[in-house]
Amino acid sequence: MKGKIGLVVGIGIGYVLGTRAGRERYEQIKEAAGKVWNLPQVQTQVAKVEDLAKSAALALPRTLWNTGVKVAKAAASSGTTGEKLDRAAATARAEAPTVKRAAAESIDEVVEAADEVAEKLKKPRTKKG
């Protein structure tokens, strides 16, 4: 999916930069893109993606915070400096998979939402009447 989007964007940029129509054609393309972007259907989907991205993005900082607290508590425990450092490092290593999983889940959720919006935007619009 990313490759297709990149290809379309690349072709579009190449066309705009390579066209002999110049500034006038660029303005026409820019205006058409603006009209599509401002369609209520597009903005509804954009809002959905933004909401999902915000909720998914909150999961990662929460996980990072919780992990940081665990590492700090391990470092603040009793013992020599070397023992504290060892416990903090061990805790960080033990929590690394949790952080990795939270980051991957956040990325997956955002990609899934973007793909869903892209699929909805591909569907032909029917005239209501």
Side-chain angles (χ1 to χ4, degrees):
M1 183 67 186
K2 291 180 186 177
K4 290 179 185 177
I5 292 172
L7 178 63
V8 170
V9 169
I11 289 171
I13 291 171
Y15 175 77
V16 169
L17 295 176
T19 185
R20 295 193 183 264
R23 185 77 178 169
E24 182 179 323
R25 184 66 181 144
Y26 167 76
E27 291 298 331
Q28 290 173 345
I29 293 169
K30 183 177 161 186
E31 184 179 331
K35 286 180 183 177
V36 170
W37 180 256
N38 290 317
L39 287 173
Q41 302 93 320
V42 173
Q43 289 305 307
T44 299
Q45 297 306 317
V46 167
K48 286 180 184 178
V49 170
E50 286 175 346
D51 291 343
L52 180 69
K54 287 175 187 173
S55 67
L58 290 177
L60 183 57
R62 189 175 310 118
T63 301
L64 291 171
W65 176 263
N66 292 339
T67 299
V69 168
K70 289 177 184 178
V71 171
K73 284 181 179 180
S77 62
S78 62
T80 66
T81 303
E83 291 170 340
K84 291 179 182 182
L85 181 58
D86 289 342
R87 275 194 295 275
T91 301
R93 276 193 298 279
E95 293 296 318
T98 304
V99 173
K100 183 179 179 181
R101 188 171 40 257
E105 287 172 2
S106 293
I107 291 168
D108 290 345
E109 287 179 21
V110 171
V111 168
E112 185 178 310
D115 288 346
E116 184 179 312
V117 169
E119 286 300 318
K120 286 182 180 180
L121 293 176
K122 284 182 187 177
K123 292 180 182 176
R125 291 180 25 203
T126 58
K127 291 186 179 181
K128 296 178 183 175

